[in-house]
Amino acid sequence: MKISQIRHFQAVCRYKNVTRAAESLHITQPSVSSSIKELEEEFGVNLFHRINKRLVLTREGEFFLERSNLLLEQVDTLEAQMKDLGSGKNLIRIGVPPMIGTFLFPAMFDAFHEKYPEIKLEMVEQGSRITNKLVKSEELDLAIAIVDEAVDHELHKLDIFSTCLVFCVRSGHPLACRDSVGLQDLRQEPIILFKSDSSQNAILLSRFKSLDIEPNVLLSSSQLYTIKHFVAAGRAGAFLFQEIADMEPDIAGVPLEEPIPMDICLIWKKNRHIYSDAAKFIEFTKSYNEGAK
Amino acid sequence: MKISQIRHFQAVCRYKNVTRAAESLHITQPSVSSSIKELEEEFGVNLFHRINKRLVLTREGEFFLERSNLLLEQVDTLEAQMKDLGSGKNLIRIGVPPMIGTFLFPAMFDAFHEKYPEIKLEMVEQGSRITNKLVKSEELDLAIAIVDEAVDHELHKLDIFSTCLVFCVRSGHPLACRDSVGLQDLRQEPIILFKSDSSQNAILLSRFKSLDIEPNVLLSSSQLYTIKHFVAAGRAGAFLFQEIADMEPDIAGVPLEEPIPMDICLIWKKNRHIYSDAAKFIEFTKSYNEGAK
DNA sequence: CTAATATAATAGATTTTATCTATGATGGAA
DNA sequence: TTCCATCATAGATAAAATCTATTATATTAG
C-alpha cells in the first residue's frame, strides 16, 4: 500500500470514473487502473464491482475509502506541517565579518535582494573564527569568511573574492610613494588595527611575531569609517584591503613586500541539508561571481 | 513523502544508526541514507544533526518522529484490516451443475482438497444458466458449466472436459445394440430427463423441437441415482454423459446420429480481481486437466 | 439498427525511481 | 599511528511507475 495508490483510489471514488480521476491527478488512465488493481491484488479484495464499464464500490471498497480518507488527511497535515517548518522561513542566517560588511557585502546584498525580495537575511557580524564555529554548530546557514588555514573538511567553500592586505597611509606620507613596504619598515609606525577576531588579524600578528617585531598599535577599531579618518589625517597607518585603499583619494595603499593574500569565501556545512533559501544564496553567489569576472 | 521513507526514518530513529536500520529493513545503508535525504529535501528541514558521523534528531526530526509514528500505526492497521477482509476467507464459492456434481466434481474436489486442505468450497448446485448469472453478479467466484452458446465476453473459460450425450437404455433393450440412434427413433420411447436448468436440457429440447418431435417424457429427476435405477430397470431411457453410461454394466449408452457435444468448462468473471483462493483453484484445474490428458 | 462516442483494460515501450556495489572520508578506539 | 565503525557519494543495475497505443465493450445519437 502506497500513498500514491491511495490518492489514485480516492480520485476514482470522487469522480466515479477512472479517466476523469487520471486527469485530475495529471497522469494517464492506465496508471490509475493499475494502481487500483495493485491494491486489490495486495489486499486480496475487490474494491469495485465492474458493472458495464462502471465502477461501483464493493463493501470492502467502502470500508477502505472511509479509512484511507482519514489517513490521507493526516498525511497531508503532517506533510504541510513539515514543509512549514522548513521552507516557510524565508530567512537566511549569514555570518559576515565586519570589514566585508562595509565593503563587499552591501553590493551583493542589494543584488540578491532585488532577485529574491521575499528572502530576509539575518546578518551576524562576527569575525571568521566565530562564524566558522557557528556554521559548524548549525546556528548559521552560511558565512562569508576569510579563509587562511588548511581546508576544513567540515565545510564547503565557494571563492567569492581574492585580494591582498595593503598598508594604508595618508597620501603625503613618506611611505606613500614606495612600491612596497616590509613589515620591518613599520617598527616605529603607529598602526590602527581593524578590530576583529578574523583570521586576517591572526595572520598579520603572526607575521610580525615571526619577524620578532612588536607593532606600535595606536588603537583598535571595528569601525572602518573611524580607521579611514585616522589614516587620512595622517595619525596612523592601517592594514586594509587593496580595494578599500583604492576607493579613497586621501589614502595610499602600499603593497607589502611579502603579500598577505586574503581569500574571501562563502562557507557552509557539509552533510547538512541546505534549505532552499540558502541554496538560492549559494547559486546567486556563484553567478554573481561569474558576472564579476 | 512516502510510506517507505517514513519506515526508513523510523528505523534510523530506533537504532540511532543508519547501518543497523538498513539491516533491519533488509536493504542497504545507502538506500536508507537517501530516503532520509529525500525527506529533508522535500520538507526543507534537517531531521538529524550530523555530529561526528552520529545522527541526533533535530527539533524538527523529533516532531516528525512523533507524528509519523501515529501515522504508521494507522497505516499498518488499515493494511492488516484490508488483508483480513481478503485473504482470510479461505473460501471459494463455486457453482456446480447437479450432474457434474455427482460425476466429475467429486474426484476433482478430493484432489484439490488434498493439495489445499485449508480452503473450503461452498458448492452452489444449480444449472449452468443460473450459475452463469451468479458468476457475473459476483455472487460466485467460479462455476463449472456446460458451455453451449457463443463466447460470453464477460467470462473467462477454461476447458475441463468434453464429452457427448448418449441415449441410455437397459442392456437388453432393442436399441442397446445399435451403433447410433436418431432422435426420430425415440418418438415412442419413454424418457427420463435429468432435471436441470442447464443448457444441456435446452439443447436437447430444441433438437427435438426442430424435428417437430414431442418427446415422451416419463418423468424428470435431479437425482442421477434415480435415473440410473429407472434406466437399469428398463422403465425408460435417459440422455446422460457417455462416461456415466460406461460406468454402469446394466446400462448401454447409444451415441446419437447427430452428436450433442458437451463442453464442460470452468468459468469466472473477466475484469474482476481473483482472490488467491480462486486463483489456486484455476491453476489447480489447469494442471489437473493436463494430468488427465 | 447503425455509427459515433466514451470508458476501462491490456500490452509493450519508456522513463523514473529504488536499490545495490564500490568507494571515500572521518571520527574514535586499540 | 593503524584499524574499525559509520555515513555520504557516485555510478551501475534492477524495479516500478507512467506513458502510448490498442482493444473490447457500453452508451448515446441519428
Side-chain angles (χ1 to χ4, degrees):
Chain A
M1 185 168 74
K2 293 174 189 169
I3 290 173
S4 62
Q5 292 170 333
I6 301 178
R7 290 194 199 283
H8 296 183
F9 169 75
Q10 299 228 335
V12 172
C13 292
R14 183 173 311 115
Y15 294 96
K16 305 189 193 314
N17 175 315
V18 178
T19 309
R20 233 54 69 63
E23 280 167 15
S24 81
L25 294 163
H26 307 293
I27 57 176
T28 55
Q29 167 262 316
S31 293
V32 179
S33 285
S34 94
S35 284
I36 303 300
K37 201 173 184 180
E38 281 160 16
L39 287 174
E40 290 183 329
E41 283 290 324
E42 180 181 357
F43 299 149
V45 153
N46 270 88
L47 295 171
F48 296 97
H49 294 289
R50 272 81 169 175
I51 302 174
N52 295 346
K53 297 276 161 190
R54 288 230 171 106
L55 300 180
V56 179
L57 277 171
T58 58
R59 280 190 335 105
E60 292 84 356
E62 297 258 22
F63 176 83
F64 185 63
L65 175 60
E66 194 184 306
R67 300 308 184 91
S68 65
N69 237 320
L70 296 172
L71 204 59
L72 264 201
E73 269 176 39
Q74 293 181 271
V75 165
D76 290 340
T77 302
L78 179 56
E79 214 162 39
Q81 285 174 323
M82 292 307 295
K83 283 179 178 169
D84 260 14
L85 285 179
S87 64
K89 282 209 277 281
N90 279 346
L91 177 69
I92 300 172
R93 294 160 305 164
I94 185 168
V96 184
M99 190 156 163
I100 292 169
T102 53
F103 140 66
L104 178 69
F105 192 68
M108 274 183 78
F109 174 77
D110 285 348
F112 182 74
H113 185 257
E114 192 173 341
K115 194 164 180 186
Y116 301 106
E118 77 283 4
I119 301 179
K120 294 194 178 71
L121 278 92
E122 188 179 299
M123 277 176 66
V124 172
E125 293 184 283
Q126 297 285 353
S128 308
R129 295 290 179 80
I130 287 180
T131 54
N132 248 26
K133 282 181 191 161
L134 293 175
V135 167
K136 287 183 190 173
S137 70
E138 304 189 6
E139 287 167 68
L140 290 177
D141 301 314
L142 302 168
I144 294 174
I146 294 162
V147 173
D148 58 320
E149 296 145 42
V151 177
D152 189 327
H153 321 291
E154 285 191 62
L155 300 175
H156 288 287
K157 290 185 181 63
L158 174 64
D159 286 325
I160 297 178
F161 191 75
S162 284
T163 184
C164 287
L165 283 186
V166 294
F167 188 65
C168 298
V169 293
R170 184 166 69 124
S171 303
H173 190 279
L175 290 171
C177 52
R178 294 267 295 266
D179 282 344
S180 65
V181 294
L183 295 188
Q184 66 284 352
D185 301 330
L186 307 177
R187 275 177 208 277
Q188 304 307 326
E189 207 59 44
I191 293 172
I192 302 179
L193 279 185
F194 197 93
K195 195 183 214 165
S196 152
D197 73 327
S198 76
S199 30
Q200 168 192 347
N201 270 7
I203 297 170
L204 198 55
L205 294 174
S206 77
R207 285 281 183 97
F208 274 113
K209 197 171 184 185
S210 68
L211 295 171
D212 209 27
I213 297 169
E214 184 68 34
N216 174 16
V217 178
L218 191 66
L219 63 84
S220 291
S221 169
S222 62
Q223 293 300 312
L224 185 61
Y225 181 81
T226 306
I227 295 172
K228 282 188 194 170
H229 185 78
F230 271 78
V231 172
R235 301 280 298 279
F239 293 92
L240 299 174
F241 291 166
Q242 176 83 60
E243 284 71 18
I244 291 177
D246 293 348
M247 283 161 67
E248 297 291 325
D250 298 337
I251 293 178
V254 187
L256 298 178
E257 278 172 10
E258 200 177 337
I260 300 179
M262 295 276 107
D263 294 319
I264 300 167
C265 295
L266 184 67
I267 61 175
W268 63 97
K269 198 185 179 193
K270 280 185 183 174
N271 296 334
R272 178 190 176 200
H273 173 68
I274 294 299
Y275 300 83
S276 63
D277 296 339
K280 279 173 190 155
F281 193 86
I282 294 169
E283 283 310 303
F284 165 82
T285 303
K286 280 180 188 165
S287 59
Y288 185 79
N289 233 5
E290 294 300 316
K293 278 177 189 168
Chain B
M1 185 169 74
K2 294 173 190 171
I3 290 173
S4 63
Q5 291 170 333
I6 301 176
R7 290 193 199 283
H8 295 184
F9 169 76
Q10 299 229 336
V12 173
C13 292
R14 183 171 312 118
Y15 294 96
K16 305 189 193 315
N17 175 313
V18 179
T19 309
R20 232 54 67 66
E23 280 167 16
S24 81
L25 294 162
H26 306 294
I27 56 176
T28 56
Q29 167 263 315
S31 291
V32 178
S33 285
S34 96
S35 284
I36 303 300
K37 200 173 184 180
E38 281 160 14
L39 286 173
E40 290 182 330
E41 283 290 324
E42 180 181 356
F43 298 149
V45 152
N46 270 88
L47 295 172
F48 296 98
H49 294 292
R50 273 79 169 175
I51 301 174
N52 295 346
K53 296 278 161 186
R54 290 237 168 100
L55 300 180
V56 180
L57 278 171
T58 59
R59 280 190 335 106
E60 292 85 356
E62 299 257 21
F63 176 82
F64 185 63
L65 174 60
E66 194 183 306
R67 300 309 184 91
S68 64
N69 237 320
L70 295 173
L71 204 58
L72 266 201
E73 270 175 39
Q74 292 182 271
V75 166
D76 291 339
T77 302
L78 178 57
E79 214 162 40
Q81 285 174 321
M82 291 306 295
K83 284 179 180 169
D84 260 14
L85 284 178
S87 65
K89 282 208 279 278
N90 279 346
L91 177 70
I92 299 173
R93 293 161 305 165
I94 185 166
V96 184
M99 190 158 164
I100 293 170
T102 52
F103 140 66
L104 178 69
F105 192 69
M108 273 184 79
F109 173 78
D110 285 348
F112 182 74
H113 185 257
E114 192 174 342
K115 194 164 182 186
Y116 301 105
E118 77 283 4
I119 301 179
K120 294 195 178 70
L121 278 93
E122 188 178 300
M123 276 176 69
V124 173
E125 294 184 282
Q126 297 284 352
S128 308
R129 294 290 179 80
I130 287 179
T131 54
N132 248 26
K133 282 182 192 161
L134 293 176
V135 166
K136 288 183 189 173
S137 70
E138 303 188 5
E139 287 167 68
L140 290 178
D141 301 315
L142 302 168
I144 294 175
I146 295 162
V147 173
D148 58 320
E149 294 144 45
V151 178
D152 189 325
H153 320 291
E154 285 189 64
L155 300 175
H156 288 289
K157 290 184 181 63
L158 174 64
D159 286 325
I160 298 179
F161 190 74
S162 284
T163 186
C164 286
L165 283 186
V166 293
F167 187 65
C168 299
V169 292
R170 184 165 69 125
S171 303
H173 191 278
L175 290 171
C177 52
R178 294 266 295 266
D179 283 345
S180 65
V181 295
L183 294 189
Q184 67 283 351
D185 301 328
L186 307 178
R187 276 179 206 275
Q188 302 310 321
E189 206 60 44
I191 293 173
I192 300 177
L193 279 186
F194 199 91
K195 197 182 213 165
S196 154
D197 74 325
S198 76
S199 30
Q200 169 193 342
N201 270 8
I203 297 170
L204 198 55
L205 294 175
S206 76
R207 286 278 183 97
F208 274 113
K209 197 172 184 187
S210 68
L211 294 172
D212 207 28
I213 296 170
E214 185 68 35
N216 175 16
V217 178
L218 192 67
L219 63 86
S220 290
S221 169
S222 62
Q223 294 299 314
L224 186 59
Y225 181 81
T226 305
I227 295 171
K228 282 189 196 169
H229 185 80
F230 270 78
V231 172
R235 302 278 300 277
F239 293 92
L240 299 175
F241 291 165
Q242 175 84 62
E243 285 71 18
I244 291 178
D246 293 348
M247 283 161 68
E248 296 293 325
D250 298 337
I251 293 177
V254 187
L256 299 178
E257 276 171 11
E258 200 177 337
I260 299 178
M262 295 275 108
D263 293 321
I264 300 166
C265 296
L266 185 67
I267 61 175
W268 63 99
K269 200 186 177 192
K270 280 185 182 174
N271 298 334
R272 180 192 175 198
H273 173 68
I274 293 298
Y275 300 83
S276 63
D277 295 341
K280 279 174 191 155
F281 193 86
I282 294 169
E283 283 311 303
F284 164 82
T285 303
K286 281 180 188 165
S287 59
Y288 186 79
N289 235 2
E290 293 299 318
K293 277 176 190 168

